[in-house]
Amino acid sequence: MLKILFLTTAHSYNDDRIFHHQAKELRSQGHRVKVSSLSSDYAGQLEGVEIESRHILNSGTASKLEYFRKVCEGFNPDRIICSEPLAVIAAYRYTKKHRATVIYDITEWYPSARMVAPYPDLLKPLQALRFLLIHIYAGAVSDLFIFGESSKKFPLSRIFPFKRKLLLPYYPAPGYITEKINVLSRDRITLAYTGTFSREKGIENFFNAAAELRTRRPNLRINILLVGSSASEDGKTYFDRLLQKYQWENIRILQPVSLESFTISLTDADVCFDLRPVTFENHHCLPIKIFYYAAAGKPVIYSDLKATRKGVDVLDFGYLVNPEDSAAIASHIERWLDNPMEYNRYAHNARKSFQKKYNWDRIKASFKEFVINGKN
């Protein structure tokens, strides 16, 4: 039996990937597993996984490293799986005095626009370079790499070609999925958007497409299902303005839900959307809810991004579009409305894609082997 510790700064202790898939899978194999986060408070056990987390994300770097040091010393792990550079650095310091394998699970694009957003424009390039160098340093002191998607392999896979690596996509486990393939009616449709209500995530593009469809089909009842929230006060103000602009009936807003309830919240959805802007960073970041939409049997309309195009066979169960081309998006929806049998085929293709391809059960064995063997 191994002792396996997950360290994360920005993710919650019950994060979908870290806790619900990776940690619980390793625990099910008899290993002792612990998760420590700096973004949420909890101490105890959840489903056999130990949790020791504190909400100190906004503290200084020294305080965060010291907290992780104490967690490592107290648990004495054989494997440390880290989700961010600071967690890697803390784990590396621990290994200077103790034997343990450090695994860097890379799921973020470095440097992201979010990381440099707080800095003045003149300083953004320097801060971007700083974040990139920290990321490379974390790669240098890690023993193994896990990549959430192919686009995240750069630059570490190039710089450290001889380090063992595993591609581990964000496929959902069947136990978290509620399948609901709807029968599409010609006179009504429910369009769904989930996640952060922000311009950066494309909610305005979603409303614009819905507005175009309303103009074209004035007798069509369009239900809007929104699951999520704004991430800041500025974001809330922006979203409120959108609601003021589109004062439609039949808009239902649900607060963010747990992983276990996510696909349940989509029961009424006929089509799920992600229309984030086409940017350099977005081209390298796969919107992962697409796997949950497919698993639930929901056709999708997504921005045509490189990461999505390469990571998912979207055309089996949806369309890739220019997110600002509301007319083209509305035309795709109309095609389904005018041919419900075609819609049904897309919905069943979505479910089949999950069952045959995008399923955690297909990749969990490679993850377990990679972590347990744990040597470069």
Side-chain angles (χ1 to χ4, degrees):
M1 180 185 76
L2 296 177
K3 290 197 285 186
I4 303 169
L5 174 64
F6 289 83
L7 296 181
T8 177
T9 59
H11 295 86
S12 172
Y13 62 85
N14 61 348
D15 175 78
D16 298 353
R17 178 179 176 88
I18 295 170
F19 175 77
H20 285 287
H21 288 86
Q22 296 179 344
K24 287 171 66 174
E25 184 60 40
L26 293 169
R27 179 67 186 88
S28 73
Q29 301 303 305
H31 302 288
R32 185 178 171 190
V33 182
K34 187 169 191 171
V35 177
S36 183
S37 165
L38 302 183
S39 64
S40 47
D41 289 313
Y42 191 86
Q45 280 204 3
L46 288 176
E47 300 184 55
V49 176
E50 300 173 43
I51 309 292
E52 185 177 350
S53 296
R54 286 181 58 196
H55 188 17
I56 57 170
L57 189 58
N58 295 323
S59 300
T61 299
S63 298
K64 292 184 281 193
L65 288 171
E66 175 62 14
Y67 180 73
F68 276 155
R69 183 193 68 79
K70 290 180 179 179
V71 171
C72 290
E73 294 284 352
F75 189 61
N76 191 26
D78 302 296
R79 307 283 185 271
I80 309 175
I81 304 176
C82 306
S83 299
E84 300 89 7
L86 187 139
V88 173
I89 293 168
Y92 172 64
R93 291 184 178 182
Y94 172 79
T95 62
K96 288 183 176 181
K97 296 181 179 179
H98 305 82
R99 180 183 290 275
T101 299
V102 178
I103 304 172
Y104 188 11
D105 185 12
I106 299 110
T107 61
E108 300 291 333
W109 177 257
Y110 287 88
S112 71
R114 172 181 51 80
M115 294 174 187
V116 300
Y119 299 97
D121 289 343
L122 288 176
L123 294 180
K124 279 182 168 57
L126 289 176
Q127 292 300 327
L129 178 61
R130 182 173 73 90
F131 283 120
L132 177 60
L133 292 176
I134 293 171
H135 179 51
I136 293 172
Y137 175 75
V141 300
S142 302
D143 297 304
L144 309 173
F145 297 139
I146 296 176
F147 295 102
E149 50 195 285
S150 293
S151 59
K152 301 292 178 19
K153 289 180 179 179
F154 183 83
L156 298 187
S157 188
R158 295 278 186 87
I159 299 173
F160 309 105
F162 300 111
K163 291 194 178 187
R164 282 187 64 210
K165 55 189 71 67
L166 173 71
L167 180 64
L168 190 76
Y170 314 92
Y171 300 164
Y176 296 122
I177 301 301
T178 298
E179 174 193 355
K180 182 61 167 66
I181 295 177
N182 293 336
V183 176
L184 189 63
S185 168
R186 294 178 185 271
D187 61 358
R188 67 176 59 201
I189 192 169
T190 298
L191 310 179
Y193 170 103
T194 72
T196 305
F197 302 156
S198 69
R199 187 190 308 274
E200 293 74 21
K201 296 299 182 181
I203 192 168
E204 188 166 357
N205 292 331
F206 170 75
F207 271 102
N208 290 342
E212 174 70 19
L213 184 62
R214 287 174 64 91
T215 299
R216 293 186 179 200
R217 302 281 177 115
N219 295 323
L220 176 68
R221 177 187 169 112
I222 302 176
N223 300 312
I224 301 295
L225 173 62
L226 306 175
V227 184
S229 63
S230 302
S232 64
E233 283 303 314
D234 287 345
K236 186 177 185 305
T237 300
Y238 166 77
F239 179 59
D240 287 343
R241 288 198 194 109
L242 274 182
L243 292 180
Q244 187 65 29
K245 178 180 179 181
Y246 297 110
Q247 296 186 42
W248 299 333
E249 69 282 5
N250 307 320
I251 296 179
R252 184 156 63 107
I253 304 174
L254 303 180
Q255 290 299 304
V257 297
S258 66
L259 177 66
E260 296 90 336
S261 301
F262 179 66
T263 52
I264 295 175
S265 72
L266 298 175
T267 298
D268 294 334
D270 296 313
V271 184
C272 293
F273 292 77
D274 193 303
L275 298 175
R276 64 189 64 194
V278 177
T279 65
F280 177 82
E281 182 177 329
N282 284 343
H283 266 308
H284 293 84
C285 297
L286 173 63
I288 62 177
K289 288 189 179 75
I290 194 169
F291 300 121
Y292 290 82
Y293 298 152
K298 306 298 179 182
V300 302
I301 296 180
Y302 260 58
S303 296
D304 188 5
L305 302 170
K306 290 179 182 178
T308 309
R309 203 183 314 128
K310 292 180 178 179
V312 193
D313 293 326
V314 182
L315 299 184
D316 289 343
F317 58 94
Y319 295 104
L320 292 174
V321 300
N322 175 349
E324 297 181 1
D325 191 346
S326 299
I329 296 169
S331 293
H332 289 314
I333 301 171
E334 286 184 308
R335 190 172 298 121
W336 281 330
L337 287 167
D338 293 335
N339 190 349
M341 291 301 294
E342 180 177 343
Y343 170 86
N344 185 263
R345 179 171 61 84
Y346 273 75
H348 280 89
N349 283 347
R351 180 65 185 172
K352 289 177 185 176
S353 294
F354 163 69
Q355 293 171 322
K356 295 181 178 180
K357 301 178 189 177
Y358 313 122
N359 189 317
W360 172 250
D361 286 351
R362 293 186 63 252
I363 61 175
K364 65 183 183 182
S366 61
F367 167 69
K368 288 182 289 188
E369 186 276 334
F370 187 81
V371 172
I372 292 167
N373 288 344
K375 301 294 181 184
N376 191 29

